[in-house]
């Protein structure tokens, strides 16, 4: 990164974020993401994920500032001292999950997930799902509302709401968490090595249809979903030293 970084400011449609965009571009100018040294995302976690999906292939670090409802992946918003904050920021490297979903119609649809891949029932009837790990069946039939696989960065989001574990950043693990499981009633999920290939097979897709969602990309009427950690894609988020992502994830485990 150059001494005075070229910044691409990106903002959610929210009025507060748009106002900050105007203020910051007046102070610092703005560059296209392809020409910038660092991307500055203004919004909430949803907009941060959108930014990663849209521009993650560029390999540029992203410094986010919270101007939305949820900001776990963001820094606090301040218009002053931005260049100093970026210079002193601590990096957190994230490796997304790759989802490959096969549908009833025979389509094969791929997507990335920086937080989680979740399967959910599409009707009032519970889903019946088989779980294979690295080609070996580990659970013959999970009867549930759904099931998800989460990264450490995403483990404090939907995964935690579904009573899944919080995973330390850099632990090279992923969480496998059922959503409202009915049978087996005592199964609460698993913590897996990050290089585990997880395959979900929908056992009765016509009577009990299931959708799969990678972050915000939904695929309906799936029959099989394969998930593995990406080997060739990483993104770097930048955080203020006093409030870095690793500390936030640790702190979440002591909230009472």
């Amino acid at each position: 990164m150059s001494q005075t970084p070229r910044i691409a400011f990106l903002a959610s449609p929210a009025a507060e974020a748009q106002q900050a965009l105007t203020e910051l571009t007046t102070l610092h100018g703005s560059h296209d993401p392809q020409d910038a040294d660092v991307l500055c995302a203004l919004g909430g976690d949803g907009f941060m994920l959108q930014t990663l999906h849209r521009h993650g292939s560029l390999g540029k670090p992203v410094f986010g500032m919270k101007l939305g409802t949820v900001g776990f992946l963001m820094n606090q918003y301040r218009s002053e001292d931005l260049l100093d904050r970026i210079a002193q920021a601590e990096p957190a490297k994230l490796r997304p999950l790759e989802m490959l979903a096969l549908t009833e119609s025979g389509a094969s649809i791929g997507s990335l997930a920086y937080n989680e891949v979740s399967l959910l029932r599409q009707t009032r009837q519970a889903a019946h799902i088989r779980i294979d790990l690295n080609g070996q069946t580990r659970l013959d039939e999970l009867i549930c509302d759904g099931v998800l696989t989460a990264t450490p960065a995403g483990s404090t989001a939907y995964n935690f709401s579904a009573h899944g574990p919080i995973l330390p950043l850099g632990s090279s693990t992923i969480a496998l968490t059922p959503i409202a499981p009915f049978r087996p009633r005592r199964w609460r999920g698993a913590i897996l090595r990050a290089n585990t290939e997880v395959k979900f097979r929908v056992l009765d897709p016509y009577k009990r249809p299931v959708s799969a969602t990678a972050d915000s990309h939904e695929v309906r009427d799936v029959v099989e979903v394969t998930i593995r950690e990406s080997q060739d894609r990483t993104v770097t988020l930048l955080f203020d030293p006093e409030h870095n992502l690793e500390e936030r994830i640790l702190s979440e485990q002591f909230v009472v």
Side-chain angles (χ1 to χ4, degrees):
M1 191 180 300
S2 59
Q3 192 166 2
T4 302
R6 295 168 296 180
I7 304 173
F9 291 102
L10 308 165
S12 78
E16 192 177 6
Q18 289 295 314
Q19 181 179 345
L21 176 65
T22 300
E23 184 177 4
L24 290 169
T25 53
T26 299
L27 289 171
H28 302 286
S30 188
H31 297 265
D32 289 334
Q34 298 90 330
D35 302 323
D37 299 306
V38 61
L39 311 183
C40 185
L42 307 170
D45 280 353
F47 184 72
M48 172 60 85
L49 291 174
Q50 180 181 320
T51 299
L52 296 179
H53 281 282
R54 186 170 296 173
H55 302 294
S57 61
L58 296 175
K60 307 294 177 70
V62 184
F63 185 89
M65 287 196 284
K66 182 182 179 223
L67 288 158
T69 306
V70 180
F72 192 81
L73 299 175
M74 317 296 275
N75 299 284
Q76 291 301 313
Y77 176 73
R78 297 197 309 272
S79 60
E80 65 274 9
D81 302 326
L82 178 60
L83 296 181
D84 288 340
R85 291 174 72 188
I86 290 174
Q88 296 170 22
E90 296 182 354
K93 288 191 177 297
L94 308 183
R95 193 178 291 275
L97 300 172
E98 295 176 347
M99 175 189 82
L100 181 64
L102 303 180
T103 70
E104 288 179 14
S105 65
S108 178
I109 301 170
S111 189
L112 292 177
Y114 293 93
N115 267 5
E116 77 279 317
V117 174
S118 58
L119 274 67
L120 292 169
R121 62 185 176 96
Q122 291 179 195
T123 67
R124 61 182 177 79
Q125 292 182 300
H128 289 221
I129 298 170
R130 188 183 75 198
I131 301 176
D132 294 353
L133 303 180
N134 294 329
Q136 180 180 354
T137 299
R138 291 290 183 176
L139 202 55
D140 290 317
E141 185 177 46
L142 173 64
I143 303 174
C144 56
D145 280 358
V147 63
L148 64 84
T149 304
T151 67
S155 67
T156 59
Y158 190 9
N159 170 72
F160 189 50
S161 297
H163 307 292
I166 294 177
L167 304 176
L169 200 65
S171 61
S172 297
T173 58
I174 55 176
L176 175 62
T177 302
I179 302 168
F182 179 68
R183 291 281 190 275
R185 195 175 292 275
R186 294 188 180 184
W187 187 66
R188 291 294 178 262
I191 298 174
L192 309 174
R193 289 167 59 98
N195 61 1
T196 304
E197 181 185 272
V198 181
K199 182 171 290 188
F200 299 122
R201 176 73 183 180
V202 180
L203 298 179
D204 195 357
Y206 303 103
K207 182 180 178 183
R208 303 170 182 275
V210 171
S211 67
T213 303
D215 287 345
S216 60
H217 179 206
E218 183 185 32
V219 181
R220 295 181 70 80
D221 300 314
V222 299
V223 295
E224 187 177 281
V225 177
T226 304
I227 302 160
R228 59 173 63 88
E229 186 183 63
S230 176
Q231 295 305 301
D232 55 8
R233 173 71 68 86
T234 60
V235 294
T236 301
L237 302 188
L238 300 176
F239 292 93
D240 292 323
E242 69 275 11
H243 206 36
N244 63 48
L245 185 59
E246 186 172 1
E247 173 61 28
R248 292 186 207 190
I249 291 175
L250 180 62
S251 296
E252 282 292 316
Q253 299 178 76
F254 293 89
V255 174
V256 294

